[in-house]
Amino acid sequence: MNRVAVAYADPVDAEKAKTIANQWGFDYIGDIAAAVNFPELEFILQVNIQRLELIKLDEPKLGAIAVDFVSGATAHRRKFGGGRGQDIAKAVGLKHGFTPCVLDATAGLGRDAFVLATLGCNVKMIERNPIVAALLQDGLLRASLSNEVKDITDRMTLMFGSSIENMTDEEDIDVVYLDPMYPHKEKSAAVKKEMRVFQSLVGEDLDSDALLAPALQIAHYRVVVKRPSYADFLAKKKPSTSIKMKKNRFDVYVNKAIPKPTV
């Protein structure tokens, strides 16, 4: 038994749970109640009313994590996030007349990719952790059934694999976006639920410095790296400029200037 298994909350979701387990190579245990029989399990991927959720078994009060592009915080940001005035929009170079094709090489749960797709970008995503990729794929599939966001998520594509190995295969990429995991200074109790779960699931991206060189090689215009405000530059390489926020910053590495509008 691996550290993660797939289960269902209700038998109506059994077939979907089996399909996910087979696709991603996870163990399938059936009813989530069976988790007590597998003390080695750390996480459960639970199908709950057709939605895939991640549960950290030793911290049940943290609740479930799922990708939801239709409602909740994602919907609020889509409607009220500030459009092209957002810092991430400035970082990738969104200007009147120019909407870049972006490669999000550290996709995670796809939230920043969704913001960029909302603003009109075509976003190719790469995620190497199979648990995270399974959650993201499930969120994209459910969003494709929603008339409210389908046109947005249609601009998002997901590849499962290592970005370090797969960035060389990408073409027509205007901007590469990187947001590697970085250890947080705050005590664990102060870090929000989702980040605590991800720190234990994924850990720090110890090879993240190796992302910058291939990113710079394939990006036509720029590479954008999201970092905590206290973190070192990726690969200790000074960026062309930085956009600073309260707790984070975007380091921007410019290959060449973004074309000016022709009109």
Side-chain angles (χ1 to χ4, degrees), residues 67 107-109 127 129-137 158 198 201-202:
V67 174
L109 296 181
E127 175 53 50
N129 184 284
I131 301 173
V132 179
L135 290 167
L136 180 52
Q137 182 188 67
L158 174 63
F198 268 60
L201 174 66
V202 179

Side-chain angles (χ1 to χ4, degrees), residues 113-167:
F114 182 76
V115 170
L116 293 172
T118 299
L119 299 175
C121 297
N122 288 316
V123 186
K124 300 179 181 181
M125 302 176 289
I126 304 178
E127 175 53 50
R128 67 179 177 181
N129 184 284
I131 301 173
V132 179
L135 290 167
L136 180 52
Q137 182 188 67
D138 183 70
L140 290 170
L141 288 172
R142 286 184 286 104
S144 70
L145 303 176
S146 168
N147 292 331
E148 194 173 358
V149 298
K150 183 182 184 301
D151 61 327
I152 298 173
T153 54
D154 280 351
R155 291 193 285 271
M156 301 167 66
T157 57
L158 174 63
M159 174 192 294
F160 171 57
S162 165
S163 292
I164 295 172
E165 297 173 3
N166 287 290
M167 269 197 278

Side-chain angles (χ1 to χ4, degrees), residues 42-245:
E42 299 176 55
F43 302 93
I44 286 289
L45 280 168
Q46 170 186 263
V47 182
N48 184 9
I49 315 178
Q50 293 294 294
R51 186 174 86 157
L52 189 63
E53 303 173 337
L54 178 66
I55 298 172
K56 192 171 186 290
L57 289 172
D58 63 352
E59 293 189 79
K61 290 184 179 179
L62 289 178
I65 292 174
V67 174
D68 185 353
F69 293 123
V70 181
S71 60
T74 303
H76 186 272
R77 186 172 180 184
R78 171 169 53 88
K79 296 173 181 176
F80 308 109
R84 293 193 173 207
Q86 297 176 74
D87 288 320
I88 189 172
K90 297 175 183 176
V92 302
L94 275 164
K95 296 180 179 179
H96 179 69
F98 178 77
T99 304
C101 177
V102 179
L103 172 64
D104 183 346
T106 52
L109 296 181
R111 290 195 178 131
D112 286 342
F114 182 76
V115 170
L116 293 172
T118 299
L119 299 175
C121 297
N122 288 316
V123 186
K124 300 179 181 181
M125 302 176 289
I126 304 178
E127 175 53 50
R128 67 179 177 181
N129 184 284
I131 301 173
V132 179
L135 290 167
L136 180 52
Q137 182 188 67
D138 183 70
L140 290 170
L141 288 172
R142 286 184 286 104
S144 70
L145 303 176
S146 168
N147 292 331
E148 194 173 358
V149 298
K150 183 182 184 301
D151 61 327
I152 298 173
T153 54
D154 280 351
R155 291 193 285 271
M156 301 167 66
T157 57
L158 174 63
M159 174 192 294
F160 171 57
S162 165
S163 292
I164 295 172
E165 297 173 3
N166 287 290
M167 269 197 278
T168 55
D169 298 328
E170 295 295 326
E171 299 178 356
D172 301 322
I173 299 299
D174 295 315
V175 177
V176 176
Y177 181 80
L178 303 172
D179 182 14
M181 288 287 288
Y182 195 87
H184 284 248
K185 282 185 173 182
E186 301 96 331
K187 295 180 180 179
S188 60
V191 178
K192 67 179 182 178
K193 170 188 77 173
E194 183 178 289
M195 189 55 64
R196 288 173 62 189
V197 173
F198 268 60
Q199 283 177 336
S200 59
L201 174 66
V202 179
E204 182 186 352
D205 285 332
L206 297 175
D207 57 353
S208 59
D209 284 348
L211 290 166
L212 187 57
L216 286 167
Q217 185 173 358
I218 69 167
H220 290 167
Y221 297 106
R222 60 179 57 183
V223 174
V224 176
V225 183
K226 186 178 180 180
R227 301 291 269 171
S229 56
Y230 55 81
D232 294 333
F233 298 133
L234 195 64
K236 299 190 183 303
K237 182 178 177 64
K238 185 177 180 180
S240 307
T241 188
S242 293
I243 298 173
K244 297 180 180 179
M245 299 165 286

Side-chain angles (χ1 to χ4, degrees), residues 237-262:
K237 182 178 177 64
K238 185 177 180 180
S240 307
T241 188
S242 293
I243 298 173
K244 297 180 180 179
M245 299 165 286
K246 186 176 181 180
K247 294 184 177 181
N248 302 294
R249 69 175 190 272
F250 291 116
D251 293 333
V252 181
Y253 299 83
V254 176
N255 278 338
K256 65 179 180 179
I258 288 172
K260 294 181 178 179
T262 55

